[in-house]
């Protein structure tokens, strides 16, 4: 169902005329902007451009009020790029290939840790679904309880179930890989990845508690009775029953000790209460501990430890582990677990603490526990101190506050647990990043050097930055220069060297960085700010538009908003700030100095206020112009008036997914679910959450349950979407068509009905029903669903109306704010030279789109320009190691006879998707040929 899977990104470009503010030696004219700017200008390496008020009046301009800190200049360190805290292999493809090779050849018991190494290496790509797959695979092959507990909690954290109203941390989602009870079971079944756990099954069997009769054994013959005295209390046991508890008791009661001839034994000094001793007697007969209160079971655990009653210890350990369900219990019981070496109890307590993340991060007792070096040693004694434990904790802490003391202490524990090379690289590098952020440059240098010595070349960029901050600019420059000379150059190398360069050489480095890696945002930001300093704000806006068009980030949006304020285009500034707050609701503007909501309030006084009807009209206009950022801003305004509207949150999530902002999209989905006012609506949003996190069958079940409660557009649409996510045969296609038709019969607005018509048209096309498809696309266009132009063009092309298809895509290009995907699609409907021009334009607008590179490489290969074809793909793989591009380059290498390179690329591709059949076949062929040659 091709139409349902297309994700298009479009931008809004608005540039406005500027009255250049006059230069001022104080950095600003009268008013707040100038005075604060002049005060800050004396701070080391932090300068701002002040805005002078209109010289014809004595009043302060609105722009000055809205820009109290001025605009950042090229001399400020506020726009500098941060050092990436993730692993960044210098030879990325080689590293991925090596990982795949080791995963294929290792023992199954080693796979869990290898998948976590894969997670660490792929973290820098920022693909949430890819990282979730790594975590699921690691959990799938986890053998010991500690690793299972840890990874189950990590998976829960990645799903952010803590944000779902009514869901407890110890609730089971129904998936065995995330089930808290299944995690406490030793052993594993690697084929259980898709299994459900048994938590949802109702257990109807009633366990009857056995009454404890103190003198039950008195009716037995005296030679079978032994009495234990505790003070003046007596507890009677069946001699052979207590002897069976352990070897020490057996030796005491039937060996050469004097107790074997006595009927009464004094246990007063053995530190056990009468109640607990009676519980031991009951256990000796029933082998049950679940009938006792936790305090008694704790005593049983201690008693079992002293007298080597292994079965009783295991039963007590397991029972106490099953009772831990909140943080306070966990912090108390884990101390008993340490003291009595109760492995399962410690694991259960850890599980509660971990499944409460991130909220438990703010509990001083929990953080004191985890950050302590003594705790790490105690955990290590029981096999519960691991690199993965502190890796997880430090990742959560990094999201909260990277410069906190907690962050430092957790990373110190991480470094203490690091044993393998990649673990030491990661621990040292992240410590370096944190110290750099904390301005502790000497320590930062130490850790970056340590990481580099272990083999993490990228840490040298951190070392150069730390030297630069200490005033050693030339030393930093020399270090980056040597990196560029020694290794195959990448964008980040030139970006880093640009910080230590001056004048034209600095700009040249930034341009080279953009050419090698167009996804780096700093070069665009620097060039934009430089243009502002030259009073060319129109050009500055155009420069920052370049990256916003294909990579949405809050820092670039914020910068563009300041530019719009400077030219008094307050509507565009408000749009960008609202988009920023949609991405990060708690975002602080001006590098942490100003609350985003406060700035919104200030801007709203400068723009025309919209009524609810105006908002809907604006939303339709933005949607029809394929202006996703504008649509986000409108929906944010609508939610300000009606915060409980779950369907608006859902719209936000759809837009954010189109803009490739997965985390923000999932947050909006969770909010939509939480604000649902009916059961059927909540089921739909839960279905989308499950679908987006890889649980297709569960998502389908939610859709079906929702339809049973109430027939709604969204429920039918969800079910159709899920079913279309496979190769459809004629029967399945008919069913999906039926579902979409049912959806269209239900009440909804034109925006969603346009999407349904578009998807229905795509199914008709795949089924060969072109006239019906054309009708769907035409109806969608009638209600301003502009993306339907693409489907209609496809219909014309399949009807051999190539010119009409081309013209249809031209209409989309003219209407859409960002038309990268439209240029790409139009290339299919024109001659080679025109196609090449369209694809070049698509790459210029969105260098992350992979089809243009693959097309150009295939054309070069057809022209027998093999080296150029490989170079075309290599250029893109350097900043986007994409499965399809790696597969194609591997195929090129195979045809050229370079089998080792073909194997390396195919292994790297399979590291990204181990089930990609075409790459599996290619890898097998290349391996057979290499084996045959050898």
């Amino acid at each position: 169902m091709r139409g349902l899977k297309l994700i298009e990104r479009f931008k809004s470009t608005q540039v406005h005329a500027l009255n250049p503010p006059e230069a001022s030696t104080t950095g600003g004219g009268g008013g707040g902007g100038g005075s604060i700017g002049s005060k800050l200008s004396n701070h080391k390496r932090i300068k701002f451009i002040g805005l002078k008020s209109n010289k014809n009046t004595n009043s302060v301009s609105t722009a000055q009020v809205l820009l109290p800190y001025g605009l950042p200049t090229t001399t400020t360190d506020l726009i500098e790029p941060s050092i990436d805290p993730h692993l960044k292999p210098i030879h990325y493809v080689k590293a991925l290939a090596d990982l795949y090779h080791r995963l294929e050849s290792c023992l199954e018991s080693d796979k869990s840790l290898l998948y976590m190494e894969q997670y660490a290496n792929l973290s820098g790509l920022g693909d949430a679904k890819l990282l979730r797959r790594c975590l699921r695979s690691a959990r799938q092959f986890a053998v010991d309880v500690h690793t299972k507990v840890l990874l189950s909690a990590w998976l829960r954290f990645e799903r952010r179930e803590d944000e779902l109203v009514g869901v407890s941390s110890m609730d089971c989602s129904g998936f065995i890989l995330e089930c808290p009870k299944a995690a406490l079971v030793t052993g594993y079944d690697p084929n259980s990845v898709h299994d459900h756990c048994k938590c949802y099954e109702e257990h109807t069997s009633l366990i009857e508690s056995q009454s404890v009769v103190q003198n039950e054994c008195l009716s037995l013959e005296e030679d079978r009775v032994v009495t234990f005295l505790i003070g003046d209390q007596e507890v009677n046991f069946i001699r052979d029953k207590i002897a069976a508890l352990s070897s020490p008791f057996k030796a005491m009661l039937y060996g050469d000790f004097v107790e074997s001839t006595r009927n009464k034994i004094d246990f007063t000094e053995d530190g056990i209460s009468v109640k607990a001793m009676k519980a031991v007697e009951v256990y000796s007969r029933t082998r049950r501990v679940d009938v006792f209160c936790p305090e008694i079971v704790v005593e049983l655990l201690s008693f079992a430890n002293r007298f080597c009653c292994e079965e009783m210890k295991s039963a007590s350990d397991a029972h106490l582990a099953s009772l831990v369900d909140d943080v306070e219990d966990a912090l108390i019981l884990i101390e008993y677990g340490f003291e009595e070496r109760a492995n399962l109890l410690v694991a259960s307590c850890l599980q509660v603490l971990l499944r409460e993340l991130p909220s438990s991060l703010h509990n001083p007792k929990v953080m004191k526990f985890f950050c302590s070096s003594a705790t790490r040693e105690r955990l290590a004694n029981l096999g519960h101190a691991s690199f993965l434990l502190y890796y997880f904790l430090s990742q959560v802490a990094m999201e909260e506050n990277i410069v906190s003391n907690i962050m430092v202490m957790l990373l110190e524990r991480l470094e203490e647990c690091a044993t393998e090379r990649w673990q030491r690289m990661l621990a040292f590098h992240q410590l370096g990043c944190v110290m750099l952020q904390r301005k502790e440059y000497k320590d930062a240098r130490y850790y970056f050097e340590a990481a580099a010595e272990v083999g993490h070349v990228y840490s040298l960029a951190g070392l150069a930055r730390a030297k630069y901050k200490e005033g050693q600019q030339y030393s930093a420059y020399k270090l980056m220069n040597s990196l560029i000379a020694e290794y195959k150059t990448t964008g980040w190398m030139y970006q880093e060297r640009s910080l230590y360069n001056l004048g034209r050489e600095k700009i040249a480095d930034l341009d080279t960085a953009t050419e090698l890696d167009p996804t780096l945002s700093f070069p665009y930001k620097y060039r934009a700010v430089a243009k502002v300093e030259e009073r060319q704000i129109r050009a500055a806006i155009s420069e920052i538009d370049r990256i916003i068009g294909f990579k949405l980030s809050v820092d670039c949006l914020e910068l563009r908003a300041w530019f719009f304020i400077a030219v008094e285009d307050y509507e565009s500034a408000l749009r960008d700030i609202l988009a920023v707050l949609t991405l990060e609701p708690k975002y602080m503007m001006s590098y942490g100095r100003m609350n985003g909501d406060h700035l919104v309030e200030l801007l709203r006084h400068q723009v025309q206020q919209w009524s609810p009807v105006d908002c809907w009209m604006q939303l339709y206009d933005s949607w029809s112009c394929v202006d996703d950022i504008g649509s986000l801003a409108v929906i944010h305004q609508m939610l300000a008036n009606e915060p409980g509207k779950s369907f608006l949150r859902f719209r936000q999530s759809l837009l954010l997914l189109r803009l490739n902002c997965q985390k923000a999209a999932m947050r909006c989905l969770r909010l939509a679910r939480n604000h649902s006012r009916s059961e059927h609506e909540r089921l739909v949003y839960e279905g989308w959450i499950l679908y987006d996190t890889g649980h297709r069958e569960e998502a389908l079940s939610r859709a079906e349950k929702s339809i049973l409660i109430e027939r709604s557009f969204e429920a039918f649409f969800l079910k159709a979407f899920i079913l279309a996510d496979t190769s459809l045969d004629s029967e399945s296609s008919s069913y999906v068509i039926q579902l979409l038709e049912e959806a269209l019969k239900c009440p909804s607005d034109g925006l969603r009905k346009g999407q349904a018509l578009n998807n229905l048209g795509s199914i008709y096309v795949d089924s060969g029903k072109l006239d019906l498809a054309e009708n769907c696309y035409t109806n969608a266009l009638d209600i301003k669903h502009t993306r339907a132009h693409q489907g209609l063009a496809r219909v014309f092309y399949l009807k051999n109306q190539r010119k009409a298809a081309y013209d249809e895509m031209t209409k989309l290009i003219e209407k859409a704010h960002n038309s990268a995907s439209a240029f790409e699609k139009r290339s299919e409907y024109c001659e080679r030279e025109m196609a090449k021009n369209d694809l070049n334009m698509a790459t210029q607008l969105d260098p992350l789109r992979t089809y243009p590179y693959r097309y150009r490489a295939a054309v070069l290969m057809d022209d027998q320009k093999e080296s150029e074809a490989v170079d075309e793909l290599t250029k893109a793989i350097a900043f986007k190691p994409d499965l399809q591009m790696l597969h194609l380059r591997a195929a090129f290498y195979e045809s050229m006879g370079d089998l080792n390179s073909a194997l390396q690329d195919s292994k790297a591709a399979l590291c990204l998707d181990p089930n990609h059949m075409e790459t599996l076949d290619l890898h097998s062929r290349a391996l057979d040929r290499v084996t045959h040659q050898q």
Side-chain angles (χ1 to χ4, degrees):
M1 190 169 179
R2 289 170 52 190
L4 282 114
K5 300 301 150 196
L6 292 172
I7 299 178
E8 302 172 36
R9 291 181 282 273
F10 295 84
K11 73 177 179 182
S12 172
T13 305
Q14 290 184 327
V15 292
H16 301 266
L18 166 70
N19 262 336
E22 293 184 7
S24 171
T25 56
T26 63
S35 59
I36 295 176
S38 62
K39 290 175 185 177
L40 291 172
S41 66
N42 293 322
H43 288 204
K44 184 180 178 182
R45 302 185 66 250
I46 302 180
K47 297 180 183 177
F48 295 84
I49 300 173
L51 294 175
K52 192 168 181 68
S53 62
N54 191 320
K55 59 185 178 183
N56 294 323
T57 73
N58 293 322
S59 63
V60 178
S61 73
T62 304
Q64 284 181 283
V65 174
L66 295 171
L67 284 169
Y69 304 103
L71 296 172
T73 74
T74 54
T75 59
T76 180
D77 57 1
L78 296 178
I79 63 169
E80 280 180 4
S82 60
I83 299 295
D84 191 337
H86 304 294
L87 289 181
K88 190 189 286 284
I90 196 74
H91 301 296
Y92 209 95
V93 173
K94 182 180 179 182
L96 294 182
D98 176 64
L99 266 170
Y100 180 76
H101 176 75
R102 286 188 286 145
L103 279 166
E104 288 299 291
S105 56
C106 73
L107 298 173
E108 285 205 338
S109 57
D110 297 331
K111 284 191 173 182
S112 185
L113 191 58
L114 274 173
Y115 277 117
M116 289 310 299
E117 182 179 351
Q118 184 186 46
Y119 176 93
N121 277 278
L122 295 175
S123 290
L125 298 180
D127 187 331
K129 290 186 177 181
L130 191 58
L131 295 179
R132 193 178 298 116
R133 198 200 71 211
C134 293
L135 286 176
R136 286 170 61 83
S137 297
R139 170 63 182 86
Q140 178 185 358
F141 287 96
V143 178
D144 60 282
V145 166
H146 169 74
T147 307
K148 294 165 82 171
V149 160
L150 169 65
L151 292 173
S152 294
W154 203 331
L155 280 166
R156 183 183 188 276
F157 174 76
E158 287 297 320
R159 287 162 59 85
R160 297 297 197 278
E161 286 197 3
D162 60 289
E163 294 183 11
L164 296 179
V165 172
V167 176
S168 168
S169 63
M170 295 303 291
D171 284 350
C172 178
S173 60
F175 313 124
I176 199 165
L177 293 188
E178 299 175 35
C179 174
K181 292 181 181 178
L184 293 173
V185 178
T186 306
Y188 79 118
D189 176 8
N191 297 317
S192 66
V193 60
H194 299 298
D195 290 354
H196 285 276
C197 65
K198 297 180 180 179
C199 292
Y200 64 91
E201 295 178 359
E202 292 184 3
H203 300 283
T204 56
S205 58
L206 179 64
I207 300 175
E208 297 179 359
S209 298
Q210 298 182 20
S211 60
V212 181
V213 181
Q214 183 177 352
N215 295 318
E216 182 181 344
C217 56
L218 293 180
S219 62
L220 301 172
E221 295 186 19
E222 282 191 20
D223 63 350
R224 292 193 62 200
V225 175
V226 60
T227 301
F228 286 84
L229 302 174
I230 300 176
D232 57 356
Q233 298 285 319
E234 296 184 354
V235 181
N236 297 318
F237 283 80
I238 301 174
R239 183 179 290 267
D240 59 350
K241 293 290 186 183
I242 190 170
L245 291 180
S246 70
S247 297
F249 274 122
K250 185 175 182 181
M252 177 194 296
L253 299 174
Y254 287 107
D256 297 330
F257 294 96
V258 295
E259 285 87 355
S260 64
T261 60
R262 294 178 179 176
N263 291 328
K264 291 189 177 182
I265 301 171
D266 191 355
F267 249 49
T268 303
E269 301 302 323
D270 282 275
I272 187 169
S273 67
V274 174
K275 288 183 178 180
M277 200 62 186
K278 290 178 179 179
V280 172
E281 191 279 323
V282 172
Y283 177 81
S284 72
R285 291 182 288 105
T286 65
R287 291 298 193 270
R288 290 179 57 193
V289 298
D290 57 325
V291 294
F292 307 117
C293 66
E295 292 80 6
I296 294 298
V297 181
V298 168
E299 284 200 70
L300 290 182
L301 179 63
S302 179
F303 180 89
N305 245 343
R306 286 204 302 278
F307 293 98
C308 304
C309 306
E310 294 302 325
E311 188 178 337
M312 186 195 294
K313 178 180 178 180
S314 295
S316 301
D317 189 7
H319 182 61
L320 287 172
S322 70
L323 300 179
V324 189
D325 60 1
D326 62 48
V327 170
E328 291 303 316
D329 285 349
L331 290 171
I332 293 169
L333 288 172
I334 201 167
E335 293 299 323
Y336 290 107
F338 285 144
E339 187 175 335
E340 304 300 339
R341 299 188 64 80
N343 216 344
L344 206 60
L345 175 57
V346 171
S348 181
C349 294
L350 269 181
Q351 177 165 250
V352 170
L353 300 179
L354 293 174
R355 290 176 73 91
E356 285 285 349
L357 289 170
S359 62
S360 59
L361 196 68
H362 304 289
N363 185 321
K365 293 180 181 178
V366 174
M367 281 303 101
K368 182 179 179 182
F369 173 83
F370 278 126
C371 293
S372 165
S373 186
T375 296
R376 188 200 65 78
E377 292 175 5
R378 297 172 78 188
L379 288 169
N381 290 333
L382 290 179
H384 285 292
S386 70
F387 178 86
L388 296 186
L389 170 63
Y390 288 100
Y391 186 17
F392 177 31
L393 289 168
S394 62
Q395 290 300 105
V396 178
M398 192 174 292
E399 290 190 15
E400 297 290 311
N401 184 3
I402 193 172
V403 297
S404 67
N405 292 332
I406 287 173
M407 182 80 247
V408 175
M409 288 186 283
L410 288 174
L411 286 177
E412 287 173 345
R413 304 292 82 77
L414 181 75
E415 188 266 322
E416 291 168 0
C417 291
T419 54
E420 299 194 11
R421 181 169 167 267
W422 73 270
Q423 296 174 351
R424 295 197 299 275
M425 286 194 297
L426 182 64
F428 287 135
H429 181 71
Q430 292 198 335
L431 273 164
C433 291
V434 170
M435 294 304 174
L436 187 66
Q437 291 280 342
R438 287 164 64 97
K439 296 181 171 55
E440 298 175 22
Y441 301 127
K442 183 178 178 181
D443 289 337
R445 279 196 292 110
Y446 169 80
Y447 287 119
F448 284 132
E449 283 175 343
E453 286 175 8
V454 183
H456 194 233
V457 176
Y458 176 65
S459 291
L460 292 174
L463 177 59
R465 191 75 67 88
K467 287 184 174 184
Y468 174 55
K469 296 295 184 180
E470 290 181 314
Q472 304 175 41
Q473 183 169 340
Y474 182 63
S475 179
Y477 174 82
K478 280 204 312 181
L479 180 55
M480 291 312 302
N481 220 29
S482 65
L483 268 183
I484 290 171
E486 185 176 352
Y487 296 98
K488 184 176 180 180
T489 55
T490 57
W492 63 261
M493 292 180 185
Y494 282 95
Q495 172 179 272
E496 194 65 28
R497 192 176 72 173
S498 74
L499 299 175
Y500 323 128
N501 236 327
L502 299 170
R504 292 181 180 178
E505 290 181 355
K506 187 182 192 80
I507 295 298
D509 274 353
L510 289 170
D511 291 344
T512 304
T514 298
E515 183 181 346
L516 293 172
D517 185 353
T519 67
L520 297 171
S521 62
F522 172 68
Y524 301 92
K525 290 162 67 176
Y526 183 91
R527 288 188 292 259
V529 172
K531 287 178 171 61
V532 170
E533 289 181 330
E534 297 169 0
R535 310 302 182 189
Q536 300 176 29
I537 299 189
R538 289 173 59 102
I541 292 171
S542 296
E543 178 65 30
I544 209 69
D545 276 346
R546 289 174 59 195
I547 191 166
I548 290 176
F550 64 89
K551 184 182 177 183
L552 199 61
S553 64
V554 291
D555 56 336
C556 291
L557 276 173
E558 179 191 6
L559 193 59
R560 191 172 71 172
W562 296 129
F563 296 162
F564 281 129
I565 290 173
V567 295
E568 302 186 7
D569 182 358
Y570 302 125
E571 287 188 3
S572 296
L574 180 59
R575 176 204 62 201
D576 283 355
I577 298 302
L578 292 176
V580 165
L581 294 176
T582 301
L583 290 169
E584 292 189 24
K586 297 179 182 179
Y587 188 76
M588 296 292 289
M589 311 295 293
S590 273
Y591 305 97
R593 295 181 179 89
M594 181 187 294
N595 185 284
D597 289 327
H598 176 62
L599 182 57
V600 167
E601 287 305 310
L602 292 176
L603 284 168
R604 278 187 172 146
H605 292 300
Q606 308 304 321
V607 300
Q608 182 180 352
Q609 299 300 301
W610 292 342
S611 68
V613 174
D614 293 330
C615 285
W616 274 107
M617 291 176 64
Q618 289 290 335
L619 182 58
Y620 268 90
D621 287 343
S622 297
W623 202 281
S624 64
C625 293
V626 201
D627 175 12
D628 292 335
I629 295 176
S631 298
L632 278 179
V634 176
I635 291 176
H636 194 285
Q637 287 195 331
M638 295 167 80
L639 281 166
N641 298 324
E642 299 178 284
K645 292 289 185 180
S646 58
F647 73 90
L648 291 175
R649 298 285 183 188
F650 179 55
R651 296 293 166 76
Q652 277 185 327
S653 73
L654 296 176
L655 289 163
L656 290 165
L657 279 176
R658 274 211 299 264
L659 291 163
N660 202 29
C661 303
Q662 295 183 37
K663 283 192 174 182
M666 289 301 294
R667 186 189 67 248
C668 290
L669 262 181
R670 290 190 290 272
L671 286 170
R673 180 262 188 202
N674 290 343
H675 286 96
S676 300
R677 296 178 179 177
S678 62
E679 176 71 6
H680 77 272
E681 190 179 18
R682 181 180 63 80
L683 287 167
V684 168
Y685 300 138
E686 286 183 1
W688 280 112
I689 292 171
L690 288 163
Y691 175 79
D692 286 337
T693 52
H695 300 288
R696 183 177 176 275
E697 294 303 321
E698 292 78 8
L700 190 61
S701 173
R702 294 291 200 284
E704 290 168 344
K705 287 179 182 177
S706 180
I707 291 170
L708 287 175
I709 297 171
E710 182 171 324
R711 297 164 64 85
S712 69
F713 173 91
E714 293 298 351
F716 280 117
F717 187 89
L718 171 61
K719 186 174 181 180
F721 194 96
I722 296 169
L723 292 175
D725 189 19
T726 54
S727 298
L728 296 177
D729 54 29
S730 58
E731 183 178 348
S732 300
S733 295
S734 298
Y735 186 47
V736 172
I737 288 169
Q738 180 184 337
L739 289 170
L740 287 172
E741 287 175 342
E742 289 296 324
L744 288 165
K745 292 177 184 175
C746 299
S748 186
D749 58 76
L751 301 178
R752 293 299 283 153
K753 291 207 170 183
Q755 184 65 58
L757 286 166
N758 199 59
N759 292 353
L760 182 57
S762 121
I763 294 290
Y764 280 136
V765 169
D766 291 341
S767 304
K769 302 173 181 177
L770 300 183
D771 290 337
L772 290 173
E774 183 176 351
N775 185 55
C776 284
Y777 291 129
T778 302
N779 289 338
L781 288 170
D782 287 341
I783 52 177
K784 293 189 174 183
H785 189 77
T786 308
R787 287 183 174 88
H789 281 298
Q790 185 165 307
L792 193 55
R794 187 179 170 209
V795 170
F796 290 147
Y797 179 72
L798 292 173
K799 288 183 173 183
N800 295 318
Q801 300 173 22
R802 195 165 182 171
K803 176 65 167 58
Y806 181 90
D807 291 342
E808 201 65 34
M809 290 310 302
T810 302
K811 293 177 185 177
L812 179 55
I813 290 169
E814 291 170 350
K815 290 180 180 180
H817 275 224
N818 185 324
S819 48
S821 66
F823 276 110
E824 179 182 300
K825 192 65 181 176
R826 192 176 71 171
S827 70
E828 297 179 24
Y829 310 135
C830 53
E831 300 303 323
R832 177 182 283 197
E833 274 309 307
M834 294 176 68
K836 184 178 178 181
N837 291 336
D838 274 356
L839 291 174
N840 288 341
M841 180 59 73
T843 298
Q844 182 180 331
L845 293 172
D846 184 355
L848 289 174
R849 304 190 76 85
T850 63
Y851 173 74
Y853 301 100
R854 289 185 283 126
Y855 176 89
R856 288 189 292 263
V859 169
L860 288 167
M861 203 67 179
D862 288 343
D863 293 340
Q864 298 185 336
K865 297 178 180 179
E866 296 174 338
S867 297
E868 291 90 333
V870 168
D871 288 345
E872 178 67 26
L873 293 174
T874 301
K875 179 172 61 177
I877 289 171
F879 62 86
K880 184 177 173 64
D882 172 77
L883 169 69
Q884 294 293 343
M885 287 193 290
L886 285 167
H887 170 79
L888 186 58
R889 193 172 70 171
F892 287 175
Y893 279 133
E894 182 190 28
S895 68
M896 295 161 63
D898 187 351
L899 298 178
N900 288 329
S901 295
L903 280 173
Q904 180 170 282
D905 276 0
S906 60
K907 287 177 182 177
L910 291 170
C911 190
L912 299 174
D913 184 358
N915 300 314
H916 192 253
M917 291 307 300
E918 292 179 352
T919 306
L920 284 168
D921 292 342
L922 190 155
H923 178 262
S924 179
R925 287 197 311 271
L927 194 59
D928 287 345
R929 288 177 63 184
V930 168
T931 305
H932 179 71
Q933 287 178 1
Q934 291 175 346

